[in-house]
Amino acid sequence: MILRLPPVAPGLRVGLYGGSFNPAHAGHRHVSRLALRRLALDRVWWLVSPGNPLKDRSRLPEAAARAAAARIVAADPRIAVTDFEAGLDAGRPGIRYTVDTLRWLTERHGEVRFVWIMGADSLASFHRWKGFREIAARMPFAVIDRPGYTLTAMASPAARLLAASRIDEAAAATLADRAPPAWVFLHGPRSTLSSTALRAAASRPPP
């Protein structure tokens, strides 16, 4: 099976932003542009996942369809959208978790300076992710503040466990060059958009 990844080159600084993107929205683009600027990245890849293995995927649109819609929303040449994880999931049973994806990428493209990007809501539950310690040890990561999660995220078990490897926000542009574990919490303008809310609004009957 051929897995189609965006172009890579040695030394390229790439942010990895994963999710179901069901649907992609302007908030995803806002986070990506913030990461590009504050982390001095060359590219951000939206990793459109086959679906959260802990949730019901029966009503989830195919990854290819979600990726096609996400490309329209991204509207930035620095943002690449890929559903290559769907190929991993189909071609190699068991590759359904973020830790497996990051392991696959770093083992094959160790010359690329990857940074994992997540929202503050994800940091709040990061300790429940499969292999979260390996994720932190495999590549630096950036946490983007989200409304309602600032305090919860920073008081989370993962944030406390990894407190010693957190870098100052003023040094965010150096994150991609640092050996993991290393992470930064980025404050700034926050988007209130969410895919869950957009799906709920779309399913409501007109007044």
Side-chain angles (χ1 to χ4, degrees):
M1 174 176 293
I2 299 175
L3 302 175
R4 303 189 185 280
L5 288 176
V8 293
L12 201 68
R13 301 158 69 90
V14 176
L16 302 175
Y17 189 19
S20 62
F21 294 93
N22 183 36
H25 52 72
H28 294 128
R29 186 173 62 244
H30 167 76
V31 166
S32 301
R33 287 176 171 171
L34 176 68
L36 282 161
R37 184 177 71 256
R38 299 285 302 279
L39 303 175
L41 301 176
D42 300 304
R43 300 285 187 275
V44 168
W45 294 358
W46 289 4
L47 306 183
V48 180
S49 73
N52 189 325
L54 302 178
K55 295 182 179 180
D56 180 12
R57 298 194 290 179
S58 62
R59 301 179 64 182
L60 186 67
E62 290 294 325
R66 286 179 281 126
R71 290 185 183 99
I72 297 173
V73 174
D76 190 314
R78 300 168 300 172
I79 301 174
V81 181
T82 175
D83 61 344
F84 89 99
E85 282 186 302
L88 286 177
D89 192 44
R92 293 180 58 188
I95 302 219
R96 301 173 60 194
Y97 298 92
T98 295
V99 65
D100 298 315
T101 297
L102 302 193
R103 187 183 300 140
W104 191 93
L105 283 169
T106 54
E107 288 176 355
R108 287 160 179 77
H109 298 287
E111 74 285 1
V112 177
R113 298 174 186 174
F114 289 116
V115 174
W116 178 253
I117 299 168
M118 70 169 80
D121 54 326
S122 293
L123 179 61
S125 60
F126 191 36
H127 61 287
R128 298 191 182 97
W129 292 24
K130 179 182 178 181
F132 84 94
R133 289 181 176 84
E134 181 181 341
I135 293 173
R138 190 163 283 276
M139 69 177 59
F141 68 92
V143 179
I144 312 297
D145 197 10
R146 288 199 64 186
Y149 285 97
T150 307
L151 298 179
T152 304
M154 294 309 298
S156 68
R160 294 198 304 268
L161 181 68
L162 298 168
S165 57
R166 180 186 174 194
I167 69 170
D168 190 274
E169 192 170 355
T174 70
L175 184 66
D177 300 317
R178 293 176 180 260
W183 65 286
V184 67
F185 193 100
L186 296 180
H187 300 83
R190 298 175 295 181
S191 172
T192 59
L193 291 173
S194 78
S195 296
T196 301
L198 290 173
R199 290 196 305 273
S203 66
R204 285 196 294 267

